[in-house]
Amino acid sequence: MVDVHDTVPDTGPGAAFQEGGALHPLGSLATAVAELGDRARLCDLYDFSGAPIYDDCYGVDAEEVAVLRDVLRRVPGPVLELAAGNGRLTLPLLQMGREVTALDLSAGMLAQLEGRVSVLRERIRSRLHIQQGDMTVIDLPDSVPQEYGLVVLLLASISILDRDGRVAVLRRARERLSPGGAVLFSIVVTRSEDTDVADHVHETTGRSGRSYRIHEVRQQDTEIRQVGIYPVTDDPTVAVPVGIGVHRVLDLDGVLAEVAEAGLTLRSQHVVDSPLQGLAEVFLEAFDAAVAPPSDGSELDPRG
């Protein structure tokens, strides 16, 4: 494992979307922040202040694990998990018996991961290598595996990047594949232009039992969707951390072109409707275009 406090500065992957270097809430989130007034403490959702909010709100997703398990049946070997974050997929991967290299840029998120795996038995923890770094580069030390049966990037985390960044990630992921290996990633797409809600507010209960309000705001005339999360409290005297992150709602055909540009060939896709009206998450599995396609003939369920 690595001491995440002594390596890359904790800039957080949302930093590229901060206007003038300052967090800039939009739509209903801006209204909520104004109502909180001096109590609001804006932070990147992925830094040391925002990571505990993310960790409480986002746990294991059964649909993601089912897709992941299906792909793992076909690809042996270690797994490289990009944007590993708080370990929401790292733990299931370890429980499936795989050796895992968990890479993330945010020291705050990796601190959450360190906390989660600290309770595991040593024989399980010994299969985990935590690395802080940029997933568009994937610079790994010699002490960890250099090739992987699967490179995985879920929760639409690739969409925090612009087009050049997404192609760079996919190209670097392809270079890390062992023969017959696969890249599995997901994106969020618009299911229907007529039903896409530009500003959606809902509440959720974290793993701790605490209530949170979530704002998802589509920036007008762009692919940018801002997410703001903060705890709900009736105490007017306490400070309220507001974690803000940003991702893109992408065009599937455009992403498939990026897959090809990165030297990958699509093997299968799996569509899951999002709880947010008008959106869907699409899981894409691809392999190195320079090698022969898998011969077992199996594919992910294309429902949706």
Side-chain angles (χ1 to χ4, degrees):
M1 294 187 185
V2 63
D3 183 349
V4 297
H5 300 277
D6 295 331
T7 52
V8 183
D10 182 38
T11 56
F17 296 101
Q18 299 171 8
E19 289 193 358
L23 295 164
H24 184 74
L26 304 172
S28 64
L29 180 60
T31 302
V33 168
E35 291 173 350
L36 288 170
D38 293 340
R39 298 166 58 207
R41 301 289 188 270
L42 304 187
C43 57
D44 192 298
L45 189 56
Y46 310 103
D47 68 16
F48 275 107
S49 297
I53 297 174
Y54 181 100
D55 184 59
D56 201 19
C57 291
Y58 294 99
V60 176
D61 182 275
E63 190 75 47
E64 283 187 325
V65 172
V67 173
L68 187 59
R69 190 183 302 276
D70 189 57
V71 175
L72 286 172
R73 291 192 185 103
R74 298 191 292 273
V75 290
V79 176
L80 174 59
E81 182 188 5
L82 304 179
N86 65 341
R88 52 189 299 278
L89 286 177
T90 313
L91 270 66
L93 284 167
L94 291 171
Q95 290 164 354
M96 294 176 199
R98 295 304 179 100
E99 181 178 7
V100 180
T101 299
L103 180 75
D104 201 290
L105 182 62
S106 168
M109 295 299 289
L110 290 180
Q112 298 297 318
L113 171 56
E114 289 274 16
R116 283 195 174 195
V117 302
S118 65
V119 300
L120 299 177
R121 295 178 180 178
E122 175 57 30
R123 63 180 179 82
I124 298 177
R125 292 202 309 270
S126 66
R127 289 191 273 104
L128 174 62
H129 316 285
I130 297 178
Q131 299 294 319
Q132 187 177 12
D134 186 345
M135 64 182 175
T136 66
V137 179
I138 314 185
D139 184 16
L140 300 176
D142 294 339
S143 58
V144 307
Q146 300 299 301
E147 292 187 344
Y148 295 86
L150 180 66
V151 179
V152 61
L153 177 59
L154 298 185
L155 198 65
S157 296
I158 198 171
S159 66
I160 66 175
L161 302 170
D162 61 16
R163 187 185 190 283
D164 288 345
R166 295 192 297 271
V167 172
V169 167
L170 293 172
R171 185 175 288 123
R172 298 288 87 79
R174 176 182 58 80
E175 293 170 352
R176 290 290 178 177
L177 292 179
S178 57
V183 177
L184 175 66
F185 69 102
S186 68
I187 60 172
V188 171
V189 300
T190 300
R191 194 70 154 152
S192 168
E193 295 290 348
D194 295 333
T195 58
D196 183 20
V197 177
D199 197 328
H200 182 81
V201 183
H202 59 104
E203 292 193 7
T204 190
T205 301
R207 294 185 299 119
S208 66
R210 193 173 193 181
S211 295
Y212 293 87
R213 187 163 293 129
I214 301 178
H215 297 253
E216 303 211 22
V217 184
R218 181 77 172 267
Q219 190 170 343
Q220 187 175 6
D221 299 325
T222 75
E223 60 187 7
I224 302 299
R225 184 175 290 271
Q226 184 181 78
V227 180
I229 310 175
Y230 54 91
V232 178
T233 176
D234 295 327
D235 187 342
T237 65
V238 302
V240 179
V242 182
I244 301 177
V246 183
H247 66 264
R248 292 172 169 85
V249 178
L250 300 174
D251 172 70
L252 179 57
D253 289 338
V255 172
L256 294 180
E258 294 165 12
V259 168
E261 184 176 337
L264 292 163
T265 296
L266 184 70
R267 184 184 186 210
S268 56
Q269 66 184 51
H270 175 86
V271 182
V272 179
D273 285 328
S274 167
L276 294 181
Q277 189 179 16
L279 299 179
E281 184 173 12
V282 181
F283 296 85
L284 300 169
E285 181 191 1
F287 61 92
D288 190 340
V291 303
S295 60
D296 63 1
S298 60
E299 290 190 359
L300 293 176
D301 178 6
R303 67 179 181 271

Coordinates of all heavy atoms in Angstrom, one line a residue, residues 71-137:
V71 N -17.8 -10.4 -16.9 CA -16.6 -10.2 -17.7 C -15.5 -11.0 -17.1 O -14.7 -11.6 -17.8 CB -16.3 -8.7 -17.8 CG1 -14.9 -8.5 -18.5 CG2 -17.4 -7.9 -18.5
L72 N -15.4 -11.0 -15.8 CA -14.3 -11.7 -15.1 C -14.3 -13.2 -15.3 O -13.3 -13.8 -15.2 CB -14.3 -11.4 -13.6 CG -13.8 -10.0 -13.2 CD1 -14.1 -9.7 -11.7 CD2 -12.4 -9.8 -13.5
R73 N -15.5 -13.7 -15.6 CA -15.5 -15.2 -16.0 C -14.7 -15.5 -17.2 O -14.3 -16.6 -17.4 CB -17.0 -15.6 -16.2 CG -17.8 -15.6 -14.9 CD -19.2 -16.3 -15.2 NE -20.0 -16.2 -14.0 CZ -21.1 -15.4 -14.0 NH1 -21.4 -14.6 -15.0 NH2 -21.8 -15.4 -12.9
R74 N -14.5 -14.5 -18.1 CA -13.8 -14.7 -19.3 C -12.4 -14.3 -19.4 O -11.7 -14.6 -20.3 CB -14.6 -13.9 -20.5 CG -16.0 -14.4 -20.7 CD -16.6 -13.8 -21.9 NE -16.8 -12.3 -21.9 CZ -17.9 -11.8 -21.4 NH1 -18.8 -12.5 -20.9 NH2 -18.0 -10.5 -21.4
V75 N -12.0 -13.5 -18.4 CA -10.6 -12.9 -18.4 C -9.9 -13.3 -17.1 O -10.3 -12.8 -16.0 CB -10.6 -11.4 -18.6 CG1 -11.0 -11.1 -20.1 CG2 -11.5 -10.7 -17.7
P76 N -8.8 -14.1 -17.1 CA -8.1 -14.4 -15.9 C -7.1 -13.3 -15.6 O -6.9 -12.3 -16.4 CB -7.3 -15.7 -16.3 CG -7.1 -15.5 -17.8 CD -8.4 -14.8 -18.3
G77 N -6.4 -13.4 -14.5 CA -5.3 -12.5 -14.2 C -5.7 -11.3 -13.3 O -6.9 -11.1 -12.9
P78 N -4.7 -10.5 -13.0 CA -5.0 -9.3 -12.1 C -5.9 -8.3 -12.8 O -6.0 -8.3 -14.0 CB -3.6 -8.8 -11.9 CG -2.8 -9.2 -13.0 CD -3.3 -10.5 -13.4
V79 N -6.4 -7.4 -11.9 CA -7.3 -6.3 -12.4 C -6.7 -5.0 -12.1 O -6.2 -4.7 -10.9 CB -8.7 -6.5 -11.7 CG1 -9.6 -5.3 -12.1 CG2 -9.3 -7.8 -12.1
L80 N -6.7 -4.1 -13.0 CA -6.3 -2.7 -12.8 C -7.6 -1.9 -12.7 O -8.4 -1.8 -13.7 CB -5.4 -2.2 -14.0 CG -5.1 -0.7 -13.9 CD1 -4.4 -0.3 -12.7 CD2 -4.3 -0.3 -15.2
E81 N -7.9 -1.3 -11.6 CA -9.1 -0.5 -11.4 C -8.7 1.0 -11.4 O -8.0 1.5 -10.5 CB -9.7 -0.8 -10.0 CG -11.0 0.0 -9.8 CD -11.6 -0.2 -8.4 OE1 -10.9 -0.9 -7.5 OE2 -12.7 0.3 -8.1
L82 N -9.2 1.7 -12.4 CA -8.9 3.1 -12.6 C -10.0 3.9 -11.9 O -11.1 3.5 -11.8 CB -8.9 3.5 -14.1 CG -7.9 2.7 -14.9 CD1 -7.9 3.2 -16.4 CD2 -6.4 2.9 -14.4
A83 N -9.6 5.1 -11.4 CA -10.6 5.9 -10.6 C -11.2 5.1 -9.5 O -12.4 5.0 -9.3 CB -11.6 6.6 -11.4
A84 N -10.3 4.4 -8.7 CA -10.8 3.4 -7.7 C -11.6 4.1 -6.6 O -12.4 3.4 -6.0 CB -9.6 2.6 -7.2
G85 N -11.3 5.3 -6.3 CA -12.0 6.1 -5.4 C -12.0 5.4 -4.0 O -11.0 5.1 -3.4
N86 N -13.2 5.3 -3.4 CA -13.4 4.8 -2.0 C -13.4 3.3 -1.9 O -13.6 2.8 -0.8 CB -14.7 5.4 -1.4 CG -15.9 4.9 -2.1 OD1 -15.9 4.4 -3.2 ND2 -17.0 5.0 -1.4
G87 N -13.2 2.6 -3.0 CA -13.1 1.2 -3.0 C -14.4 0.4 -3.1 O -14.5 -0.7 -2.8
R88 N -15.4 1.1 -3.7 CA -16.8 0.5 -3.8 C -16.7 -0.7 -4.8 O -17.6 -1.6 -4.6 CB -17.8 1.6 -4.4 CG -17.3 2.3 -5.6 CD -18.2 3.5 -6.0 NE -19.6 3.0 -6.2 CZ -20.0 2.5 -7.4 NH1 -19.1 2.4 -8.4 NH2 -21.2 2.1 -7.6
L89 N -15.8 -0.7 -5.7 CA -15.6 -1.9 -6.5 C -14.3 -2.7 -6.1 O -14.3 -3.9 -6.4 CB -15.5 -1.5 -8.0 CG -16.7 -1.1 -8.7 CD1 -16.4 -0.7 -10.1 CD2 -17.8 -2.2 -8.7
T90 N -13.4 -2.1 -5.5 CA -12.2 -2.7 -5.0 C -12.5 -3.9 -4.1 O -11.9 -5.0 -4.3 CB -11.3 -1.8 -4.3 OG1 -11.2 -0.5 -5.0 CG2 -9.9 -2.4 -4.1
L91 N -13.4 -3.7 -3.2 CA -13.7 -4.8 -2.2 C -14.3 -6.0 -2.9 O -13.9 -7.1 -2.7 CB -14.5 -4.3 -1.1 CG -13.7 -3.8 0.1 CD1 -12.9 -2.5 -0.2 CD2 -14.6 -3.5 1.3
P92 N -15.3 -5.8 -3.8 CA -15.9 -6.9 -4.5 C -14.9 -7.6 -5.4 O -14.9 -8.9 -5.4 CB -17.0 -6.3 -5.4 CG -17.4 -5.1 -4.6 CD -16.2 -4.6 -4.0
L93 N -14.0 -6.9 -6.0 CA -12.9 -7.5 -6.8 C -12.0 -8.4 -5.9 O -11.6 -9.5 -6.3 CB -12.1 -6.5 -7.5 CG -12.7 -5.8 -8.7 CD1 -11.9 -4.6 -9.1 CD2 -12.8 -6.8 -9.9
L94 N -11.7 -7.9 -4.8 CA -10.8 -8.7 -3.8 C -11.6 -9.9 -3.4 O -11.0 -11.0 -3.3 CB -10.4 -7.9 -2.6 CG -9.4 -6.7 -2.9 CD1 -9.3 -5.9 -1.7 CD2 -8.1 -7.3 -3.3
Q95 N -12.9 -9.8 -3.1 CA -13.7 -10.9 -2.7 C -13.9 -11.9 -3.8 O -14.1 -13.1 -3.5 CB -15.1 -10.4 -2.2 CG -15.0 -9.6 -0.9 CD -16.2 -8.8 -0.6 OE1 -17.1 -8.7 -1.5 NE2 -16.3 -8.1 0.5
M96 N -13.7 -11.5 -5.0 CA -13.7 -12.5 -6.1 C -12.4 -13.2 -6.3 O -12.2 -14.0 -7.2 CB -14.1 -11.8 -7.4 CG -15.6 -11.2 -7.4 SD -15.9 -10.3 -9.0 CE -17.3 -9.3 -8.5
G97 N -11.5 -12.9 -5.5 CA -10.2 -13.6 -5.5 C -9.1 -13.0 -6.4 O -8.1 -13.6 -6.6
R98 N -9.4 -11.8 -6.9 CA -8.4 -11.2 -7.8 C -7.3 -10.4 -7.1 O -7.6 -9.8 -6.1 CB -9.1 -10.3 -8.9 CG -10.1 -11.1 -9.8 CD -9.3 -12.2 -10.5 NE -10.2 -12.9 -11.4 CZ -10.3 -12.8 -12.7 NH1 -9.6 -11.9 -13.3 NH2 -11.2 -13.5 -13.4
E99 N -6.2 -10.3 -7.8 CA -5.2 -9.3 -7.4 C -5.6 -8.0 -8.0 O -5.9 -7.9 -9.2 CB -3.8 -9.8 -7.9 CG -2.7 -8.8 -7.5 CD -1.3 -9.3 -7.9 OE1 -1.2 -10.3 -8.6 OE2 -0.3 -8.7 -7.5
V100 N -5.5 -6.9 -7.3 CA -6.1 -5.6 -7.7 C -5.1 -4.5 -7.5 O -4.5 -4.4 -6.4 CB -7.4 -5.3 -7.0 CG1 -7.9 -3.9 -7.5 CG2 -8.4 -6.4 -7.1
T101 N -4.8 -3.7 -8.6 CA -4.1 -2.5 -8.5 C -5.2 -1.4 -8.6 O -5.9 -1.2 -9.6 CB -3.1 -2.3 -9.6 OG1 -2.1 -3.4 -9.5 CG2 -2.4 -1.0 -9.4
A102 N -5.3 -0.6 -7.5 CA -6.3 0.5 -7.4 C -5.6 1.8 -7.6 O -4.8 2.2 -6.8 CB -7.1 0.4 -6.1
L103 N -6.0 2.5 -8.7 CA -5.3 3.8 -9.0 C -6.3 4.9 -8.9 O -7.5 4.8 -9.4 CB -4.8 3.7 -10.5 CG -4.1 4.9 -11.0 CD1 -2.7 5.1 -10.4 CD2 -4.0 4.9 -12.5
D104 N -6.0 6.0 -8.3 CA -6.8 7.2 -8.2 C -5.9 8.4 -8.0 O -4.9 8.3 -7.4 CB -7.8 7.1 -7.1 CG -9.0 8.0 -7.3 OD1 -8.9 9.2 -7.2 OD2 -10.1 7.5 -7.6
L105 N -6.4 9.5 -8.5 CA -5.6 10.8 -8.4 C -5.8 11.4 -7.0 O -4.9 12.1 -6.5 CB -6.0 11.7 -9.5 CG -5.3 13.1 -9.5 CD1 -3.8 12.9 -9.8 CD2 -5.9 14.0 -10.6
S106 N -7.0 11.2 -6.5 CA -7.4 11.9 -5.2 C -6.9 11.2 -4.0 O -7.3 10.1 -3.7 CB -8.9 12.1 -5.2 OG -9.3 12.5 -3.9
A107 N -6.1 11.9 -3.2 CA -5.6 11.4 -1.9 C -6.8 11.2 -1.0 O -6.8 10.3 -0.2 CB -4.5 12.3 -1.3
G108 N -7.7 12.2 -1.1 CA -8.9 12.1 -0.2 C -9.7 10.8 -0.4 O -10.1 10.1 0.6
M109 N -9.9 10.4 -1.7 CA -10.6 9.2 -2.0 C -9.8 8.0 -1.6 O -10.4 7.0 -1.0 CB -11.0 9.2 -3.4 CG -11.9 10.3 -3.9 SD -13.5 10.2 -3.1 CE -14.2 8.7 -3.8
L110 N -8.5 8.0 -1.8 CA -7.7 6.8 -1.4 C -7.6 6.7 0.1 O -7.5 5.5 0.6 CB -6.3 7.0 -2.1 CG -6.3 6.8 -3.6 CD1 -4.9 6.9 -4.1 CD2 -6.9 5.5 -4.0
A111 N -7.8 7.8 0.8 CA -7.8 7.6 2.3 C -9.1 6.9 2.7 O -9.0 6.1 3.7 CB -7.8 9.0 2.9
Q112 N -10.2 7.1 2.0 CA -11.4 6.3 2.3 C -11.2 4.9 2.0 O -11.6 4.0 2.7 CB -12.6 6.9 1.5 CG -12.9 8.3 1.8 CD -13.4 8.5 3.2 OE1 -14.2 7.7 3.7 NE2 -12.9 9.6 3.8
L113 N -10.5 4.6 0.8 CA -10.2 3.2 0.5 C -9.3 2.5 1.5 O -9.6 1.4 1.9 CB -9.6 3.2 -0.9 CG -9.0 1.8 -1.4 CD1 -10.1 0.7 -1.4 CD2 -8.4 2.0 -2.7
E114 N -8.3 3.2 2.0 CA -7.4 2.7 3.0 C -8.2 2.3 4.2 O -8.0 1.3 4.9 CB -6.4 3.7 3.4 CG -5.3 4.0 2.3 CD -4.2 3.0 2.4 OE1 -4.3 1.9 3.0 OE2 -3.1 3.2 1.8
G115 N -9.2 3.2 4.6 CA -10.0 2.9 5.8 C -10.9 1.6 5.6 O -11.0 0.8 6.5
R116 N -11.4 1.5 4.4 CA -12.3 0.3 4.1 C -11.5 -1.0 4.2 O -12.0 -2.0 4.7 CB -12.9 0.5 2.8 CG -14.1 1.4 2.7 CD -14.9 1.2 1.5 NE -16.1 2.0 1.5 CZ -17.2 1.9 0.7 NH1 -17.1 0.9 -0.2 NH2 -18.2 2.6 0.8
V117 N -10.3 -1.0 3.6 CA -9.6 -2.3 3.5 C -8.8 -2.6 4.8 O -8.3 -3.7 4.9 CB -8.6 -2.3 2.3 CG1 -9.4 -2.0 1.0 CG2 -7.5 -1.3 2.5
S118 N -8.7 -1.6 5.7 CA -8.0 -1.9 6.9 C -8.6 -3.0 7.8 O -7.9 -3.6 8.6 CB -7.9 -0.6 7.7 OG -9.2 -0.2 8.2
V119 N -9.8 -3.3 7.6 CA -10.5 -4.3 8.4 C -10.4 -5.7 7.8 O -10.9 -6.7 8.4 CB -12.0 -3.9 8.6 CG1 -12.1 -2.6 9.4 CG2 -12.8 -3.9 7.3
L120 N -9.9 -5.8 6.5 CA -9.8 -7.0 5.9 C -8.7 -7.9 6.4 O -7.7 -7.4 7.0 CB -9.6 -6.8 4.4 CG -10.7 -6.1 3.6 CD1 -10.3 -5.9 2.1 CD2 -12.0 -6.8 3.7
R121 N -8.8 -9.2 6.2 CA -7.7 -10.1 6.6 C -6.5 -9.8 5.8 O -6.6 -9.4 4.6 CB -8.1 -11.5 6.5 CG -9.3 -11.9 7.4 CD -9.7 -13.4 7.2 NE -10.8 -13.8 8.1 CZ -11.3 -15.0 8.0 NH1 -10.9 -15.9 7.2 NH2 -12.3 -15.3 8.9
E122 N -5.3 -10.0 6.4 CA -4.0 -9.7 5.7 C -3.9 -10.5 4.4 O -3.4 -10.0 3.4 CB -2.9 -10.1 6.6 CG -1.5 -9.9 6.0 CD -1.3 -8.5 5.4 OE1 -1.8 -7.5 6.0 OE2 -0.5 -8.4 4.4
R123 N -4.4 -11.7 4.3 CA -4.2 -12.5 3.1 C -5.0 -11.9 2.0 O -4.7 -12.1 0.8 CB -4.7 -14.0 3.3 CG -6.1 -14.2 3.7 CD -6.5 -15.6 3.9 NE -7.9 -15.9 4.3 CZ -8.9 -15.9 3.4 NH1 -8.6 -15.7 2.1 NH2 -10.1 -16.1 3.8
I124 N -6.1 -11.1 2.3 CA -6.9 -10.4 1.3 C -6.2 -9.1 0.9 O -6.0 -8.8 -0.2 CB -8.3 -10.2 1.7 CG1 -9.0 -11.6 1.9 CG2 -9.1 -9.4 0.7 CD1 -10.4 -11.5 2.5
R125 N -5.8 -8.4 2.0 CA -5.1 -7.1 1.7 C -3.9 -7.2 0.9 O -3.5 -6.3 0.2 CB -4.8 -6.4 3.1 CG -6.0 -5.9 3.9 CD -5.7 -4.8 4.9 NE -4.5 -5.2 5.7 CZ -4.6 -5.8 6.9 NH1 -5.8 -6.2 7.3 NH2 -3.5 -6.1 7.5
S126 N -3.2 -8.4 1.1 CA -1.9 -8.6 0.4 C -2.1 -8.6 -1.1 O -1.1 -8.5 -1.9 CB -1.2 -9.9 0.9 OG -2.0 -11.0 0.5
R127 N -3.3 -8.8 -1.6 CA -3.6 -8.8 -3.1 C -3.9 -7.5 -3.6 O -4.3 -7.3 -4.8 CB -4.7 -9.8 -3.4 CG -4.4 -11.3 -3.2 CD -5.4 -12.2 -3.7 NE -6.5 -12.5 -2.8 CZ -7.7 -12.0 -2.8 NH1 -8.0 -11.2 -3.7 NH2 -8.5 -12.4 -1.8
L128 N -3.9 -6.4 -2.8 CA -4.2 -5.1 -3.2 C -3.0 -4.2 -3.2 O -2.3 -4.1 -2.2 CB -5.3 -4.5 -2.2 CG -5.7 -3.0 -2.4 CD1 -6.3 -2.8 -3.8 CD2 -6.6 -2.6 -1.3
H129 N -2.9 -3.4 -4.3 CA -1.8 -2.4 -4.5 C -2.5 -1.1 -4.7 O -3.2 -0.9 -5.7 CB -0.9 -2.8 -5.6 CG -0.5 -4.2 -5.7 ND1 0.4 -4.8 -4.8 CD2 -1.0 -5.2 -6.5 CE1 0.5 -6.0 -5.1 NE2 -0.3 -6.3 -6.1
I130 N -2.4 -0.2 -3.8 CA -3.0 1.2 -3.9 C -2.0 2.1 -4.4 O -0.9 2.3 -3.9 CB -3.5 1.6 -2.5 CG1 -4.6 0.7 -2.0 CG2 -4.1 3.1 -2.7 CD1 -5.2 1.1 -0.7
Q131 N -2.3 2.8 -5.5 CA -1.4 3.7 -6.2 C -2.1 5.0 -6.5 O -3.3 5.1 -6.9 CB -0.9 3.1 -7.5 CG -0.1 1.9 -7.4 CD 1.2 2.0 -6.7 OE1 1.9 3.0 -6.9 NE2 1.5 1.1 -5.8
Q132 N -1.5 6.1 -6.1 CA -2.0 7.4 -6.5 C -1.4 7.9 -7.8 O -0.2 7.9 -7.9 CB -1.8 8.5 -5.3 CG -2.5 9.8 -5.6 CD -2.2 10.8 -4.5 OE1 -1.4 10.5 -3.6 NE2 -3.0 11.8 -4.4
G133 N -2.2 8.3 -8.7 CA -1.7 8.8 -10.0 C -2.8 9.1 -11.0 O -4.0 8.9 -10.7
D134 N -2.4 9.6 -12.1 CA -3.2 10.1 -13.2 C -3.6 8.9 -14.1 O -2.7 8.3 -14.7 CB -2.5 11.1 -14.0 CG -3.3 11.8 -15.0 OD1 -4.4 11.3 -15.4 OD2 -2.9 12.9 -15.5
M135 N -4.9 8.7 -14.3 CA -5.3 7.5 -15.1 C -5.1 7.8 -16.6 O -5.2 6.9 -17.4 CB -6.8 7.2 -14.9 CG -7.8 8.2 -15.2 SD -9.5 7.6 -14.8 CE -10.5 9.1 -15.2
T136 N -4.8 9.0 -17.0 CA -4.5 9.3 -18.4 C -3.1 8.9 -18.7 O -2.7 9.0 -19.9 CB -4.8 10.8 -18.8 OG1 -3.9 11.6 -18.1 CG2 -6.2 11.2 -18.5
V137 N -2.3 8.6 -17.7 CA -0.9 8.2 -17.9 C -0.7 6.8 -17.5 O 0.0 6.0 -18.2 CB 0.0 9.2 -17.0 CG1 1.5 8.8 -17.2 CG2 -0.2 10.6 -17.4

